[in-house]
Amino acid sequence: MTIAGAWHAASQRIDRLDARLLVEQVTACTHADLLAHPARSLSTDQLSRLDALVGRRAGGEPLAYLLGSAAFYGREFWVTPAVLIPRPETELLVELAIERVQPHSGARILDLGTGSGVLAVTLGCLCPEARLTAVDLSVAALAVASSNAARHAVEIDFRAGQWFSPLGEERFNLIVANPPYVAQGDPHLQQNGLPFEPQMALTDGVVGGDGLACIRLVVGGAAVHLRPGGWLLVEHGYDQAGAVRELLHRQGLADVASWRDLSMIERVSGGRLH
Ligand code: GLN
């Protein structure tokens, strides 16, 4: 079968753009190759690999896991089912973070629950003199994050453990976190490919809870891990901004505020240590 024929056939089963990206993946072609040489033929092996990938996509598996890669803030990152696929709304955290660190200041930046490492690596690229630390409980996630750090030539001090536990009494100028915040039992967890993503990255697992258990731990430890003037910025769910601001106030943080993502949803809240 030709590349064009395989693309057409795959487009009958899945989204046309997804089909094209999978054809390109299996044949190691670029989009330009595909347009320039539509009559090139696929080997039997390529056809069977394509068929398997199209079947998985048709079964709801996210495209990023099939490609092994996803874009965030203009860069490509490796992703595996051990990590959450980066979401565009998390780019807001990057923007708020870089407004708060001097790019050439040697600031210490901490990313809690780093997952694929998109936040730590992107901040490392944008603030080349910052010193980065990234924590995750999942050793499999840390392996992905560390391959992304190498891919983008960013040096990051990775630590395995729960939230602040591997950090002793270290203090930071900026702490960012995109912790799990979807309430256990939220029907959203059954939709849009979320069942294929690591549940420990999506939900705190507390049955009948409000999804905020991890955010409570992150906010609760911030005051003793921030340097004076340092900021904590946390991503949260569409209806959690008020509750998170309340937690930040209770920790005595100043300048507490929430910021809206591109869908105009309050998506990140933060505060500063006096
Ligand atoms: N924003 C993600 C979603 O709702 C959840 C990310 C997270 O829990 N940190 O799909």
Side-chain angles (χ1 to χ4, degrees):
M1 190 186 284
T2 64
I3 299 190
W7 178 18
H8 180 72
S11 303
Q12 309 300 307
R13 295 168 66 195
I14 60 172
D15 173 81
R16 189 171 157 77
L17 174 61
D18 291 3
R20 194 194 93 204
L21 294 169
L22 291 176
V23 170
E24 287 169 16
Q25 160 100 345
V26 160
T27 56
C29 278
T30 62
H31 187 199
D33 294 334
L34 202 149
L35 295 176
H37 308 287
R40 196 190 280 176
S41 59
L42 276 81
S43 68
T44 322
D45 173 59
Q46 287 174 332
L47 266 177
S48 71
R49 279 193 290 134
L50 179 64
D51 186 59
L53 288 171
V54 170
R56 286 165 66 186
R57 183 71 194 106
E61 210 166 319
L63 185 72
Y65 290 151
L66 302 178
L67 298 174
S69 185
F72 181 78
Y73 215 83
R75 292 179 180 79
E76 280 293 322
F77 291 87
W78 307 119
V79 291
T80 74
V83 300
L84 198 74
I85 298 163
R87 310 286 205 262
E89 56 267 31
T90 305
E91 296 185 341
L92 170 64
L93 247 178
V94 173
E95 269 154 27
L96 295 164
I98 55 179
E99 285 167 11
R100 286 164 177 76
V101 277
Q102 311 289 335
H104 298 291
S105 65
R108 287 203 67 184
I109 301 178
L110 170 64
D111 177 16
L112 284 178
T114 193
S116 61
V118 288
L119 282 173
V121 172
T122 302
L123 292 175
C125 291
L126 298 173
C127 312
E129 270 154 56
R131 286 194 294 146
L132 287 131
T133 305
V135 174
D136 208 287
L137 184 59
S138 158
V139 174
L142 287 174
V144 176
S146 121
S147 72
N148 281 319
R151 179 173 186 170
H152 294 288
V154 172
E155 209 175 299
I156 298 175
D157 178 2
F158 288 106
R159 315 269 182 95
Q162 200 138 27
W163 309 118
F164 293 101
S165 60
L167 296 166
E169 295 185 353
E170 289 170 62
R171 287 183 181 263
F172 301 85
N173 301 87
L174 173 70
I175 301 174
V176 294
N178 175 18
Y181 53 70
V182 183
Q184 179 73 352
D186 184 326
H188 180 65
L189 291 170
Q190 305 308 322
Q191 298 159 14
N192 301 324
L194 267 67
F196 292 92
E197 298 192 83
Q199 296 304 293
M200 69 180 283
L202 286 166
T203 169
D204 58 19
V206 178
V207 177
D210 55 8
L212 290 167
C214 297
I215 292 188
R216 280 192 193 90
L217 294 174
V218 167
V219 175
V224 295
H225 289 282
L226 282 170
R227 291 180 173 173
W231 277 89
L232 167 68
L233 297 168
V234 192
E235 179 173 324
H236 50 67
Y238 70 97
D239 56 354
Q240 294 171 334
V244 176
R245 285 196 302 271
E246 175 62 29
L247 294 170
L248 293 161
H249 280 301
R250 255 192 266 155
Q251 287 301 313
L253 296 180
D255 300 334
V256 169
S258 300
W259 295 272
R260 291 177 194 276
D261 64 18
L262 293 174
S263 311
M264 295 310 287
I265 292 167
E266 286 184 317
R267 181 58 69 186
V268 174
S269 295
R272 194 175 57 84
L273 190 69
H274 272 300

